[in-house]
Amino acid sequence: MSFSRQFYNDTVTMYNTKLQVFPSNIIAGMFNFKSRDLFKAESDEARKNVKVDFGNNVVCFDHDFLYYLTHAYCISIHKSQGSEYDNVVFICDAQSIYMLEKRLIYTAISRAKHHLYIIGNANVFKRQVRMIQKRIRQTSLKERLGEIYD
């Protein structure tokens, strides 16, 4: 939390400084940009401990342990197309079996540069990889391009 607070405060400080510098102050005034307040933890206890909610379990981390926590995020396979990541976690769940097509699985797996972790049902994964594509893409792209270029 302290790292995020520091990043936020640094960003707000740069923003507030930029608002006061010429010619930015003229543009900021025209668009009614206002300076922002810095984030402050409300109590000493809030500064010392961070509570993380893992769904069914809330864990309290003390300040000394925060060094070992790393900010993480998750994106969909579709959003990751064209990018590579050092570590990829692919969740192969039976509940999403209708979406798990070979092309989607390939896209997910090919995003990993160094490490790929596949979590889930191995039988579902094997079946979906072996499955012959039955669904034909329903698109009108060919017709639309024909309309434009005819």
Side-chain angles (χ1 to χ4, degrees):
M1 182 72 172
S2 62
F3 299 115
S4 298
R5 181 175 56 239
Q6 183 62 48
F7 174 75
Y8 174 82
N9 286 342
D10 289 345
T11 304
V12 167
T13 301
M14 288 189 311
Y15 171 79
N16 289 342
T17 303
K18 190 78 170 166
L19 287 179
Q20 298 171 3
V21 176
F22 181 83
S24 298
N25 59 358
I26 295 172
I27 296 168
M30 288 173 37
F31 291 101
N32 203 24
F33 290 151
K34 304 287 183 200
S35 62
R36 300 289 176 209
D37 295 329
L38 299 178
F39 177 80
K40 296 178 185 173
E42 295 180 13
S43 67
D44 289 337
E45 187 67 27
R47 283 189 206 103
K48 291 180 184 175
N49 296 322
V50 174
K51 292 181 182 175
V52 180
D53 186 355
F54 291 103
N56 60 351
N57 190 15
V58 176
V59 179
C60 187
F61 295 101
D62 67 6
H63 188 269
D64 295 335
F65 191 77
L66 293 180
Y67 174 79
Y68 298 104
L69 294 180
T70 303
H71 177 74
Y73 57 93
C74 175
I75 62 172
S76 70
I77 296 169
H78 294 96
K79 287 273 191 187
S80 71
Q81 285 184 339
S83 301
E84 284 186 323
Y85 301 94
D86 289 336
N87 301 298
V88 171
V89 178
F90 175 62
I91 300 172
C92 184
D93 186 33
Q95 291 180 345
S96 57
I97 197 165
Y98 297 108
M99 192 173 74
L100 288 175
E101 293 183 351
K102 196 181 297 189
R103 288 180 287 186
L104 189 70
I105 293 170
Y106 170 79
T107 302
I109 290 172
S110 63
R111 301 304 99 203
K113 270 198 239 182
H114 300 294
H115 298 99
L116 170 68
Y117 305 95
I118 301 174
I119 299 172
N121 188 321
N123 293 329
V124 170
F125 179 78
K126 290 174 188 174
R127 186 176 76 222
Q128 294 306 107
V129 169
R130 289 182 187 132
M131 184 183 291
I132 297 171
Q133 290 297 130
K134 296 176 186 174
R135 190 173 66 128
I136 298 172
R137 286 190 160 190
Q138 296 179 1
T139 178
S140 60
L141 181 61
K142 184 177 177 181
E143 291 80 14
R144 294 175 105 190
L145 289 173
E147 292 171 3
I148 293 171
Y149 294 107
D150 281 345

